[in-house]
Amino acid sequence: MKLQLALDLVNIPQALELIKEVEDHIDIVEIGTPVINKEGLKAVDAVKAAFPNLEVLADVKIMDAAGYEVSNAAAAGADIVTILAQAEDSSIKGAVEAAKKLGKKILVDMIAVKDIKTRAAELDMLGADYICVHTGYDLQAEGKDSFEDLRTIKSVVKNAKTAIAGGIKFETLPEVIKAQPDLIIVGGGITSKEDKKAEAAKIQKLIKEGVIA
């Protein structure tokens, strides 16, 4: 299991400062959609230049022109690029093909998908590297979590790795670990804490213990 730090509500200098604090305790850093919308792909470029040893995910949430979008994100230094599960199959295929050519990976975001089981099986066949169950901000506010959806995805996926995102924090981590995703994505569970380094270390430790168990 890997730990991914999601950065959503920061600018580039704040992102660099935050990553520096926790870099020893994370595997992947995600430049979130709000950051890319505000700063552009130069945010990805800046982070990859400053932290070449970390994997960088560009959360561009592609919906169309997938090959082109993947190429742009990869050129900025992204190792992993996101596309929405709601996109056309041809777009998913285009993203996967472009990523493979460039030695990058595709994470498919299942946000707002109603038939999780069917779509996860289709995405697996289409060659997704990661399939991510994602409870967005608005649903988190209604008390929704992703654990059951993750178990559903794991029951049908044969090739893709699984990821989980949305409101995960230290307190809910044991339940996440029980479902054994390949990638655990934590945002505010780290970034909202005063001692971010200590929180990231605590979360990483629990994840590593979970792997052993």
Side-chain angles (χ1 to χ4, degrees):
M1 275 184 282
K2 285 183 174 181
L3 174 59
Q4 176 171 308
L5 173 70
L7 298 177
D8 285 319
L9 307 175
V10 292
N11 57 31
I12 293 171
Q14 289 167 334
L16 296 175
E17 196 179 316
L18 215 153
I19 299 161
K20 194 171 183 198
E21 208 176 323
V22 301
E23 65 173 314
D24 293 341
H25 305 291
I26 62 171
D27 302 294
I28 300 170
V29 61
E30 169 189 329
I31 311 305
T33 315
V35 180
I36 291 172
N37 284 344
K38 188 179 172 191
E39 302 270 16
L41 286 170
K42 68 178 188 287
V44 176
D45 193 31
V47 167
K48 192 63 183 178
F51 302 96
N53 297 327
L54 279 179
E55 274 190 280
V56 176
L57 177 142
D59 192 15
V60 284
K61 291 192 174 76
I62 295 165
M63 198 65 188
D64 193 20
Y68 174 75
E69 295 279 15
V70 168
S71 300
N72 283 344
D79 301 291
I80 307 168
V81 184
T82 66
I83 186 167
L84 292 172
Q86 304 274 35
E88 300 287 358
D89 286 2
S90 56
S91 297
I92 306 277
K93 276 185 201 160
V96 168
E97 280 166 20
K100 278 200 165 64
K101 265 185 214 158
L102 297 164
K104 309 297 183 182
K105 293 190 175 86
I106 292 295
L107 180 144
V108 185
D109 187 334
M110 298 287 278
I111 196 166
V113 171
K114 299 292 180 235
D115 186 348
I116 294 268
K117 195 171 188 175
T118 302
R119 192 58 177 147
E122 290 167 353
L123 293 165
D124 195 36
M125 296 284 288
L126 289 167
D129 296 291
Y130 290 97
I131 298 173
C132 179
V133 56
H134 182 186
T135 304
Y137 282 119
D138 299 338
L139 269 188
Q140 284 173 46
E142 294 171 20
K144 173 94 169 73
D145 67 49
S146 313
F147 307 132
E148 200 175 322
D149 290 344
L150 175 62
R151 285 189 283 272
T152 301
I153 290 172
K154 283 188 76 81
S155 73
V156 296
V157 163
K158 294 183 170 67
N159 304 303
K161 291 181 173 178
T162 55
I164 184 168
I168 297 166
K169 48 187 185 278
F170 183 76
E171 292 73 20
T172 57
L173 206 52
E175 199 167 350
V176 177
I177 289 168
K178 219 184 288 176
Q180 291 285 295
D182 298 288
L183 183 56
I184 296 173
I185 302 168
V186 181
I190 291 172
T191 59
S192 67
K193 302 295 178 182
E194 204 163 316
D195 191 341
K196 296 165 184 55
K197 183 174 184 167
E199 196 66 19
K202 209 164 70 162
I203 287 172
Q204 185 196 43
K205 184 173 183 286
L206 197 55
I207 288 171
K208 283 187 170 163
E209 286 167 1
V211 174
I212 295 159

